[in-house]
Amino acid sequence: MKKRRKNEEMKLGDLLKSFVDENKLDKKGLNQVKVRDVWNSQMGPAIEKYTTNLMLKNDTLYVQLSSSVLREELSYGKEKIIRNLNEEMGQEIISKLVLR
C-alpha cells in the first residue's frame, strides 16, 4: 500500500477510518455513536422525538421509546428496521432489535 504524503487530499471519513484501523481503536464505541446517527436519519424526526435512549450491546440494539403506541407500531416492522439500519451502517452490526 502506498503511503500518503501529508499534503495529499483525503476525505475526512477515509482519514478517520484509517486512523481507527492504524491505532486499533475500539470500534464498539464508534458503532454506538454511528448507530444513533443512523437511527435518527433512517427513522426521521418524529420517531427521534420519542426515542429516549438507544444502546448497542453486542449485536442487539435496545431502543427506549416514550410512546407505547409507537413501540407497538414499530414492533411489526422489526426485521425491516434492522435491515435498513445495517444497510445504512454498511455492515451487519445489528441482528436483534429490542423496543422498550
Side-chain angles (χ1 to χ4, degrees):
M1 187 170 144
K2 181 183 160 191
K3 284 271 189 189
R4 289 190 176 269
R5 298 167 87 190
K6 287 185 181 179
N7 62 353
E8 279 188 56
E9 287 186 25
M10 197 172 180
K11 287 185 181 177
L12 182 59
D14 295 337
L15 181 64
L16 288 173
K17 183 179 182 330
S18 172
F19 179 78
V20 167
D21 292 342
E22 287 174 18
N23 293 291
K24 296 176 178 62
L25 296 176
D26 182 27
K27 289 192 177 189
K28 286 182 184 177
L30 295 174
N31 284 340
Q32 190 77 256
V33 172
K34 187 175 180 181
V35 78
R36 184 177 308 276
D37 291 340
V38 168
W39 172 266
N40 291 336
S41 70
Q42 286 293 303
M43 303 308 285
I47 293 175
E48 179 182 357
K49 186 171 83 174
Y50 291 104
T51 303
T52 57
N53 196 13
L54 198 78
M55 183 177 70
L56 181 63
K57 188 171 183 180
N58 298 326
D59 60 348
T60 304
L61 180 62
Y62 296 92
V63 180
Q64 191 167 352
L65 300 165
S66 60
S67 167
S68 58
V69 174
L70 179 61
R71 183 171 44 251
E72 185 69 24
E73 284 294 315
L74 292 179
S75 70
Y76 296 119
K78 281 185 179 181
E79 288 79 21
K80 184 178 181 184
I81 293 170
I82 291 169
R83 195 170 48 248
N84 289 346
L85 294 175
N86 282 329
E87 187 177 306
E88 186 69 22
M89 299 263 308
Q91 52 187 322
E92 295 291 317
I93 292 177
I94 304 163
S95 63
K96 187 176 178 185
L97 177 62
V98 177
L99 301 170
R100 298 177 170 172

